[in-house]
Each structure stands twice: as structure tokens, then as C-alpha cells.
Amino acid sequence: MDNIDFVQLLSRWLHITAAVAAGGGAIFMKVALHPATETLPGDTRAQLREAVRSRWAKVVHGAILILLLTGLFNFM
């Protein structure tokens, strides 16, 4: 396997992994997390959602960055 082939393969896998992580996390939050928090009291629910959102935002921002960089690389 040539070095260029390895970099292209790695770039594609990073691209796919970032898309799966961002998409899967969004689906999990919509289908499982938000409905499960409906049974919590209002202030507890708001605190939990904010804590999850602040942590999840870092993952989504990283995934978007990886998607943009690897997408550009794969396009070239």
C-alpha cells in the first residue's frame, strides 16, 4: 500500500466516522435523551440539557471541522 493510498483511506474513514458520530448523536438526543428528560422537574431538566449540550457542542464542532477538512481533501 502506497503512502498516498493510506492517507486517502485514512481521510475517508475519518470523514465517515465524523458523519456517523454527529448524525448518531443527534438522533440519540432527539429520540432518547429529550423524551427521557420530560419526567424530570423543570430546573433539573434544564440543567441536564445544558450540561449535555455544552459537552455535545464540542463534539459536533470537531466533527464539522473534520468533515470540512477531509471533504476538501477527498474532493481534491
Side-chain angles (χ1 to χ4, degrees), residues 1 9-10 15-16 18-19 21 23 25-26 30-33 35-36 39 45 47 49 55 67 71 74 76:
M1 180 178 254
L9 180 66
L10 179 64
H15 191 81
I16 292 167
K30 180 70 173 170
V31 172
L33 183 64
T39 60
R45 178 176 50 236
Q47 287 176 347
R49 286 185 177 180
R55 287 172 179 82
L67 283 168
N74 289 332
M76 297 297 175

Side-chain angles (χ1 to χ4, degrees), residues 43-60:
D43 57 337
T44 305
R45 178 176 50 236
Q47 287 176 347
L48 176 63
R49 286 185 177 180
E50 180 56 31
V52 170
R53 191 209 58 78
S54 66
R55 287 172 179 82
W56 183 242
K58 294 173 187 169
V59 173
V60 171

Side-chain angles (χ1 to χ4, degrees), residues 7-29:
V7 171
Q8 288 176 339
L9 180 66
L10 179 64
S11 175
R12 288 190 180 140
W13 272 102
L14 282 172
H15 191 81
I16 292 167
T17 302
V20 168
I27 291 169
F28 166 76
M29 289 178 71

